[in-house]
């Protein structure tokens, strides 16, 4: 009976970001102009407020271009490495809340993101993130080159590993 009480206290005190060796896995809907898809990401804590990770995204639903052409796999796919500054504790916010601005380097651009995670339990929460390119590899990007190379909105589930 004693162990059940400890377990319930632990679940009630779920933390969003625990620092070094903390690991998160997110699966989200990726929404952007002319397309929507799925994105998975993983972040690993290097220190009290720093984490690194990666993302893979794939657009499932994409509008055809003006000539009726459909994008191929390479147009729909993106891969990025990322750096986060987990700053929820700096604002002395709820310990279930993680706020993290960051930078990412992908196949299509160098960009930034701002995200928020909220954990209901020690293992499960929700995440919302916006992303934007800072420097595009093709400054004159047009057509399908704009996919995964523009403002994105992501929302979904987050898991503590």
């Amino acid at each position: 009976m004693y162990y059940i009480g400890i377990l319930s206290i632990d679940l009630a005190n779920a933390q969003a970001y625990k620092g070094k060796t903390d690991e998160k896995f997110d699966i989200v809907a990726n929404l952007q102009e002319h397309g929507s898809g799925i994105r998975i990401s993983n972040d690993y804590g290097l220190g009290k407020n720093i984490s690194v990770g990666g993302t893979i995204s794939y657009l499932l639903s994409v509008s055809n271009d003006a000539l009726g052409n459909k994008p191929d796999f390479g147009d729909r796919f993106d891969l990025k490495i990322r750096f986060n500054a987990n700053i929820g504790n700096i604002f002395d916010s709820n310990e279930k809340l993680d706020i993290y601005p960051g930078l990412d380097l992908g196949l299509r651009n160098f960009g930034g993101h701002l995200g928020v995670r909220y954990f209901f339990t020690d293992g499960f929460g929700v995440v919302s993130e916006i992303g934007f390119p800072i420097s595009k590899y093709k400054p004159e990007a047009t057509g399908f080159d704009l996919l995964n190379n523009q403002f994105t909105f992501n929302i979904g589930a987050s898991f503590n590993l």
Side-chain angles (χ1 to χ4, degrees):
M1 194 66 165
Y2 177 74
Y3 296 108
I4 293 172
I6 291 173
L7 180 61
S8 63
I9 289 170
D10 185 42
L11 291 176
N13 292 320
Q15 283 186 304
Y17 183 74
K18 298 172 187 155
K20 191 173 182 178
T21 71
D22 184 47
E23 193 169 0
K24 304 284 187 259
F25 176 79
D26 300 337
I27 183 162
V28 300
N30 176 336
L31 308 170
Q32 55 184 275
E33 189 174 356
H34 305 296
S36 61
I38 190 167
R39 189 199 79 184
I40 60 172
S41 65
N42 185 262
D43 292 315
Y44 182 79
L46 295 180
K48 183 176 180 180
N49 296 96
I50 298 172
S51 63
V52 296
T55 65
I56 298 172
S57 61
Y58 186 76
L59 296 174
L60 301 168
S61 172
V62 179
S63 301
N64 293 349
D65 69 8
L67 300 174
N69 298 317
K70 292 185 177 188
D72 63 18
F73 176 83
D75 295 322
R76 296 172 181 246
F77 174 79
D78 199 13
L79 177 68
K80 296 179 179 182
I81 57 173
R82 58 196 262 142
F83 168 85
N84 297 328
N86 303 83
I87 58 174
N89 65 344
I90 292 173
F91 295 117
D92 199 26
S93 66
N94 184 327
E95 64 182 19
K96 295 179 181 183
L97 184 68
D98 180 23
I99 302 166
Y100 59 95
L103 298 172
D104 45 65
L105 181 62
L107 297 176
R108 301 178 186 281
N109 62 50
F110 169 71
H113 57 269
L114 175 62
V116 176
R117 290 185 184 105
Y118 183 85
F119 279 84
F120 300 107
T121 69
D122 193 41
F124 174 75
V126 292
V127 62
S128 180
E129 185 176 306
I130 60 168
F132 49 91
I134 295 171
S135 178
K136 298 176 184 178
Y137 297 150
K138 292 183 179 180
E140 306 299 323
T142 60
F144 297 138
D145 287 333
L146 291 173
L147 297 175
N148 291 305
N149 200 8
Q150 59 187 324
F151 179 85
T152 62
F153 176 72
N154 301 284
I155 189 164
S158 186
F159 304 91
N160 274 320
L161 301 180

